[in-house]
Every structure is written in structure tokens, then in C-alpha cells.
Amino acid sequence: MNKIFEVPLYAYERSSDQDAATAVRHKVIVIGAGPVGLATAIDLAQQGVEVVVLDDNDKVSFGSRAICFSQRTLDIADRLGAGSPMVDKGVQWNVGKVFFDNRQVYEFNLQPDTGYANPAFINLQQYYFENALVDRVRQLQAAGAPIEIRGRNKVEAIGTHDSHVVLEVETPEGPYNVEADWLIACDGANSPTRRMLGLDFDGRVFEDNFLIADVVMEADFPTERWFWFDPPFNRGQSALLHKQPDNVWRIDLQLGWDIDKEREKRPENVIPRLKAMLGEDVDFDLEWVSIYTFQCRRMERFRHGRVLFAGDSAHQVSPFGAMGANSGIQDADNLCWKLKLVLDGKAPEILLDSYSRERVQAADANIAKSSRSTDFITPKSQISRLLRDAVLDLSEHFEFARPLVNSGRLSTPCTYQDSSLSSADALNGPDITRPGSACPDAPLGDEFLLPKLAGKFTLLTIDAGAPERIEEGGVEATRLALSVKDDLTLELKRRYLGDATGAVYLIRPDQHVAARRDTFEENAFRQAIRRATGKE
Amino acid sequence: MADLILTPNLDSADDFYAGLLAAHDGLDKSASDALNARLVLVLANHIGDADVLTQAVKAAALRGS
Ligand SMILES: Cc1cc2nc3c(=O)[nH]c(=O)nc-3n(C[C@H](O)[C@H](O)[C@H](O)COP(=O)(O)OP(=O)(O)OC[C@H]3O[C@@H](n4cnc5c(N)ncnc54)[C@H](O)[C@@H]3O)c2cc1C
């Protein structure tokens, strides 16, 4: 059986750079063809920025790792031209069940929220997610976009200069040197770039181990998320069962701290554990097994001169809440438009420091969230376990305790609170669209709002006047004129107006709100554009 | 008679829970128990209403099957 992650999707090919007398200089080099590196490269190439991706491997993620992708990620993937194959392949689920000891304590139904093009989240193997991005790279190449992936190109050394970086790259045919104006390190949690530059990566290790297994089975478990606290088949620990496409099921079993990882990973030890959970008579195949110790940590800053860090190289969270890949995709979303403006000379380099500030804020929010989930799932003191078990006991009988049960809080986009790019809120509007927020989608008849906001500055007017375009210091914002009448479901009004009768929004290319007012006021919006591009 | 609220009523459940755990950080078992006891008394005083408190004691006494 040939799994997609066993096939070289970007096999090594000799590049003319390897035969050049002097090192060739590229605009941008991305290290790492994981989800974040691929998304970054696509985003840049779509804007016409020349980009080369170097990866020491030639295949998508071995085994699944990430399985849960959020609405915000899918919205970004749509902007990158790769969203629909993901949603088509992905599994959607609404029902979750929580078990404690030998009984189900409650069941929840995440009623699908309406009025969004994309579901709240999908389950999809990371290798399919990456595969959709690789397909998109191939599509862009066919259309002549300046993007290249070089498989089995391992970065061995990095020299940083004021105006560029120099890389030494190892290939099956020997090493070569190559240069770039900008380097984006998407080389994962063990980031060799970080190590080579001698940079810190501090945080907290959770003293626990988890067995992560993906099993293939023709079982009639429903498409639901089942989470066990202290079940009979894994006493004192937790367990998770979650469905992926192709009859693949994700199983997480907490194992505790003092274990022999190599021993626990052997099939003869894994299979009895899974049988205890699934039942003796269930037939399954192991697709992938791994043992993880979770960590929550981040770099102090994500920009170091001409080197930018994105994804796991910059920050790492425990997987409860599926925030790793999801937040990495949002890093790419935040970074690429800024880098494009800087490359075009339309914004000062300090705009890139706002990338670091905004995404550090997001990383801290994610780390706090996933640390809390981890503390609930794996209580580390007697009192913490006592309180946890009290919550679970109460949750069986009383609805009030259920929001306290924390088996992972799903990834949500960060609102860049107090960002230097945002202007003061000048609309008595809904909280969810205050400056700094990621724009929520809204239905517009047969269409949706977000695709109309993609990749450029937009002046969104809702029952308000404004010029069709304004330009400030080379940065253009074009108008999208809407009326609450365009959306009979009134979601547009609910999400963007609230009690206001009209509004003008300045929306960044990454679909975050930069400024909003009740009416168009030229000076205010010119200033807002300057702020949003690091000029004020 | 006032009814005990048994539907979600916390402004931010996760923040409250994290704050509660933080208050216990570094305490040994008996210090933690004492903290919980004081907390029950502080909250009871805030509620005041005897009917509500009686219902609360009953709700807490009900345990898993
Ligand atoms: C068990 C588990 C479950 C998870 N579940 C979820 C989930 O449900 N949702 C979610 O969003 N996230 C989840 N995550 C996290 C997610 O897998 C990661 O956050 C994500 O893979 C990070 O992507 P990345 O592109 O930053 O790094 P990676 O995917 O690690 O990619 C790094 C790339 O860099 C390459 N590289 C490294 N060094 C070099 C070098 N010297 N030269 C060239 N190339 C190099 C590597 O080959 C690799 O391709 C989970 C993680 C685990 C472990």
C-alpha cells in the first residue's frame, strides 16, 4: 500500500544554482515545506514575489500529526487557492462525548453556526493538508508564478548580513551556496535555523507522555469526538478518539511520565492498549504510532534582522486545542503582505517588527489556552485533580459545570489587541469586529464576504459613503460597498454594525480590521493606512 | 423561593478555573483544604439567601452514580 506520505512529491532535482560560479541571490528563501512553509511560499508567489522553498525531505508529513483545522485556517487556505480540496476531503463533526471513569457524563452538540462559507473546523490528516498545498504550488508553477520547491536540500549553515543572508545547502550531489534578501525559517519545532543563530526557545515542558496512534478500521463508531478522563482502560490517565477521512481514527492515550518510550512504541505493547479501549473483537491496522512529550514555548522575538521565524520554529504548544498548525498558518497570513510592501518599498522595514509583536501576542494566547487544557487533562497536584474531578462529577448533573470541563479549546484567531497597526475604535459596533479582529465571514446572497476582502486593503462600507479608492504613500485601498439589504439573514448587520446604522471599515490584506468609523472621514482613513503600514 | 443557578453563569469559566488553580499553587494538602473551606464560606456569605444555600449544599452532595 502506497500512502501519500511515502511518495516523494518534490523529489530532488539539480538546480542551476548548484552550477553557478557565484551564489545566486533570491528575493525570499523559505526553509521547510511543512504546512507553514508551503503556505508562506504560496502567499508570496501569489503576490508575484520570487520564492524558493528548501526542504531536507521530499515528502509530506510522515504520519498525520495535525488532524484538526479551524475555520480561520480554511478561510486563509481559500485565499491561497487551496481551501476547497481540504474541505471536500475533510470530516466534519458536531457531537462530542465526555466520559469520566466508567460513565458518559455528558454530550454536546456544536450546532453548526450558519452564515460562514467554511465549517468551524474539519478533521483532515496533515499529509492531505500539505498535499493540497503542494498541488497549489504546482498549479502556480504551471501558471508561471515564481515559486520553486527543492527537495532533499538541507540547510547546513547560515550567514546573516545587513542586506541579505547566505545559506550553505547540502544535497545528494554535494553542497552549494545560495543567497536571499529575506529568509523565512519554517523549519519546525527543532528549528536548525534557530540553533544556528544561537537563539533562545524558552517555556514549559509538561512532564507527561502521550501515545498517539492513527488506526485504520472499519468500525461503526460514529463521527464524534470522544474524550475520556480516568477511564477503566487507562486508569488515572486520559484518552481521545477522533475520526479522520479514509476510516482513519486518531487515538491519544496519556501514559504518564516514567515510561520507556521505545518499549511503549512497539506494536506488541501498543496493540493491547488499543484493544482494551476499542474492544477485543475490533479489527484495525496501525497506520502511524508515536510518543510525544508536550511543550509550550516560544522565541522571544520572531524577527531577527533579515530572518523571520514562522510556525513551530517560533512557537510550540501542546496539541490540546489544535493550535499548532492553525496558528502557523496565521503567521504566514500576517507576514506575507507586510513583506510584500517592504519589498516594494511601500512600507518601512519596521512593519516586519509588527509581525513579531502581533504573532507573539497570538502565541502567548495559544500557550495560555493550551497550558490550561493540559493542566485540566493531566492535573499535576492532588488539589488540581480533586477540583478537576469535582467539575467532572458536577458536569454529569448540572449544565453549569460543563463550560469548566476543558479537554481542549479549539483554535480561534487572535484579535491583535492594542496593535500599533490599529487605529482607535470609532464605531459603536460589535466587539467581534473591533480593530485588530479577524473579519468574520458573512453571507451575501449566494456569495460570502471574505473572498471579497482578500489580499489587499479594502474600504468596506456598509450603508455609508466613501470614494471608490484612496491611495496613501503608494498603498491603495479599494472600496467594497455593501448594504444590510445584501444579507437577508442579517448576519452582516449583526457582525459588522450592531446598533450602528452605517459603518466604514479599513481592512488589512490579511482580513484583520485596521480601523472603523461610522462615516468616511478622509484624514482619519489616510492616517489609518499609514498606521497599518508601519508609518505612524 | 429563589432558585439556585445551575446553568452556565460564569463570565469566563477558563479564567476563573485558572485563577482558582493559581491560588492553590505551592500549597500542601491541608493548606489547600483550608483555602477551599474559606472560599466556601466567603461565597456563601456573598449569596446570603438561605434557600439558595440549602439547594447548593444538596447539589454538591449529589454524586456520580
Ligand atoms: C500529535 C500531534 C497532534 C497535533 N495536532 C494538531 C492539530 O490537530 N491541529 C494543528 O493545527 N496542529 C496540530 N499539531 C501541530 C502541527 O503538527 C505543527 O504545528 C505543524 O506541523 C507545524 O508546521 P511547521 O510547518 O511550522 O513545521 P513542520 O511541519 O515541522 O515542518 C518543518 C519542515 O522543515 C524541514 N526542515 C527542518 N530542518 C531543515 C533543514 N535544515 N533544511 C531544510 N529543511 C528542514 C522539515 O523537513 C519539515 O518539512 C499536532 C502536533 C502533534 C505532534
Side-chain angles (χ1 to χ4, degrees):
Chain A
M1 176 168 55
N2 250 2
K3 293 271 180 189
I4 190 163
F5 54 84
E6 293 165 348
V7 185
L9 290 181
Y10 34 91
Y12 170 75
E13 278 173 46
R14 192 173 182 85
S15 147
S16 60
D17 287 6
Q18 289 165 259
D19 301 314
T22 52
V24 174
R25 172 81 63 92
H26 296 278
K27 278 274 172 242
V28 179
I29 290 180
V30 171
I31 307 181
V36 181
L38 290 168
T40 303
I42 292 169
D43 203 349
L44 290 170
Q46 284 194 158
Q47 301 178 67
V49 176
E50 190 252 333
V51 56
V52 176
V53 182
L54 305 176
D55 196 282
D56 60 356
N57 201 330
D58 54 9
K59 306 178 188 70
V60 287
S61 172
F62 182 77
S64 183
R65 297 203 286 160
I67 60 161
C68 198
F69 294 92
S70 71
Q71 186 175 64
R72 181 67 198 142
T73 296
L74 298 172
D75 290 341
I76 295 168
D78 278 342
R79 188 171 66 67
L80 299 179
S84 35
M86 297 174 181
V87 177
D88 291 348
K89 180 79 192 172
V91 170
Q92 294 181 36
W93 59 276
N94 304 107
V95 174
K97 288 182 178 152
V98 177
F99 302 87
F100 179 37
D101 194 351
N102 56 3
R103 62 200 200 274
Q104 178 180 328
V105 283
Y106 72 98
E107 169 177 333
F108 56 87
N109 191 341
L110 301 164
Q111 287 300 347
D113 231 349
T114 55
Y116 301 92
N118 280 314
F121 34 78
I122 56 166
N123 283 4
L124 182 70
Q125 290 89 328
Q126 182 164 335
Y127 49 79
Y128 282 130
F129 185 88
E130 292 180 20
N131 187 46
L133 293 174
V134 173
D135 283 347
R136 176 60 182 155
V137 170
R138 299 298 177 218
Q139 234 177 43
L140 285 166
Q141 284 172 327
I147 183 170
E148 206 188 313
I149 313 183
R150 296 185 188 166
R152 299 183 67 195
N153 272 240
K154 183 174 185 191
V155 177
E156 293 279 13
I158 300 174
T160 53
H161 303 270
D162 284 347
S163 59
H164 67 287
V165 294
V166 184
L167 305 181
E168 193 184 306
V169 183
E170 186 60 50
T171 75
E173 296 180 298
Y176 70 103
N177 281 7
V178 62
E179 298 181 356
D181 289 347
W182 295 93
L183 177 68
I184 308 180
C186 306
D187 48 357
N190 297 318
S191 173
T193 305
R194 210 178 51 222
R195 189 170 30 77
M196 289 187 257
L197 299 187
L199 298 168
D200 58 297
F201 198 43
D202 293 331
R204 179 171 166 204
V205 180
F206 291 91
E207 295 196 342
D208 219 318
N209 291 290
F210 284 80
L211 175 77
I212 315 285
D214 280 347
V215 305
V216 188
M217 58 181 177
E218 300 285 342
D220 47 7
F221 290 111
T223 304
E224 299 172 352
R225 179 186 196 265
W226 289 8
F227 199 98
W228 288 263
F229 294 96
D230 195 10
F233 58 82
N234 198 24
R235 264 299 164 220
Q237 315 282 12
S238 66
L240 171 73
L241 179 69
H242 217 176
K243 173 99 198 266
Q244 303 171 64
D246 303 342
N247 288 316
V248 175
W249 299 80
R250 164 61 53 87
I251 293 168
D252 289 9
L253 287 171
Q254 186 191 352
L255 298 180
W257 186 229
D258 288 317
I259 59 155
D260 177 346
K261 289 195 192 192
E262 283 316 307
R263 212 185 140 265
E264 291 294 346
K265 232 185 338 201
R266 283 183 219 137
E268 71 261 31
N269 294 316
V270 172
I271 287 167
R273 284 188 180 280
L274 298 182
K275 284 198 181 268
M277 173 175 180
L278 301 169
E280 282 299 324
D281 47 346
V282 174
D283 266 338
F284 59 83
D285 284 322
L286 281 178
E287 177 174 275
W288 175 71
V289 178
S290 192
I291 291 184
Y292 282 92
T293 302
F294 298 140
Q295 324 221 11
C296 284
R297 48 188 186 161
R298 70 160 167 88
M299 297 179 73
E300 192 187 331
R301 285 180 290 127
F302 299 171
R303 178 187 173 206
H304 290 266
R306 295 211 158 229
V307 184
L308 296 140
F309 291 84
D312 275 14
S313 70
H315 46 75
Q316 206 185 355
V317 293
S318 73
F320 305 115
M323 291 180 278
N326 285 307
S327 68
I329 299 296
Q330 290 164 46
D331 291 346
D333 190 42
N334 188 295
L335 174 59
C336 291
W337 66 272
K338 294 176 179 174
L339 187 55
K340 165 72 175 162
L341 285 176
V342 170
L343 281 166
D344 288 351
K346 292 179 176 174
E349 261 182 53
I350 54 158
L351 180 59
L352 298 173
D353 292 327
S354 77
Y355 160 70
S356 179
R357 279 196 307 276
E358 291 184 336
R359 295 312 298 167
V360 160
Q361 188 189 349
D364 282 345
N366 288 333
I367 287 171
K369 258 198 217 162
S370 85
S371 299
R372 286 174 180 189
S373 302
T374 310
D375 284 338
F376 194 90
I377 294 166
T378 67
K380 286 294 172 286
S381 68
Q382 204 183 357
I383 184 69
S384 155
R385 178 171 295 266
L386 191 79
L387 286 166
R388 198 278 305 268
D389 290 352
V391 166
L392 290 168
D393 271 328
L394 288 166
S395 75
E396 184 174 7
H397 302 286
F398 306 118
E399 201 190 323
F400 88 87
R402 295 175 191 169
L404 287 161
V405 175
N406 190 341
S407 66
R409 300 276 182 247
L410 282 162
S411 165
T412 50
C414 179
T415 295
Y416 303 129
Q417 190 76 36
D418 307 321
S419 169
S420 62
L421 305 196
S422 300
S423 299
D425 195 0
L427 179 78
N428 179 21
D431 203 43
I432 52 164
T433 40
R434 69 187 188 279
S437 314
C439 287
D441 208 354
L444 299 172
D446 295 337
E447 296 179 303
F448 284 90
L449 173 64
L450 287 186
K452 298 179 189 293
L453 300 175
K456 57 188 186 342
F457 276 96
T458 304
L459 268 181
L460 168 65
T461 63
I462 303 172
D463 296 316
E468 288 312 307
R469 60 185 290 275
I470 55 171
E471 197 197 296
E472 176 64 27
V475 178
E476 188 184 70
T478 48
R479 180 179 180 203
L480 173 65
L482 297 178
S483 162
V484 289
K485 296 191 205 88
D486 294 330
D487 168 29
L488 300 176
T489 69
L490 292 180
E491 290 299 349
L492 183 68
K493 176 173 167 26
R494 198 174 67 74
R495 292 171 195 166
Y496 287 86
L497 287 187
D499 296 331
T501 52
V504 183
Y505 280 78
L506 176 67
I507 295 169
R508 313 186 333 186
D510 58 4
Q511 301 173 332
H512 278 255
V513 175
R516 64 178 187 177
R517 305 182 73 80
D518 44 4
T519 55
F520 180 76
E521 206 190 287
E522 179 154 349
N523 281 339
F525 279 95
R526 287 191 178 282
Q527 191 191 24
I529 293 176
R530 288 198 302 277
R531 273 185 79 82
T533 49
K535 295 174 190 157
E536 260 190 40
Chain B
M1 180 172 102
D3 272 340
L4 177 68
I5 301 170
L6 287 169
T7 50
N9 190 41
L10 289 164
D11 284 342
S12 167
D14 285 351
D15 287 343
F16 161 71
Y17 196 79
L20 182 58
L21 286 190
H24 284 279
D25 239 4
L27 301 186
D28 65 16
K29 172 82 172 83
S30 61
S32 265
D33 287 348
L35 175 69
N36 280 341
R38 291 193 299 272
L39 185 60
V40 169
L41 297 172
V42 169
L43 294 175
N45 179 63
H46 182 88
I47 293 163
D49 187 310
D51 286 339
V52 174
L53 288 168
T54 308
Q55 293 168 67
V57 171
K58 276 200 189 123
L62 185 67
R63 259 224 62 193
S65 34

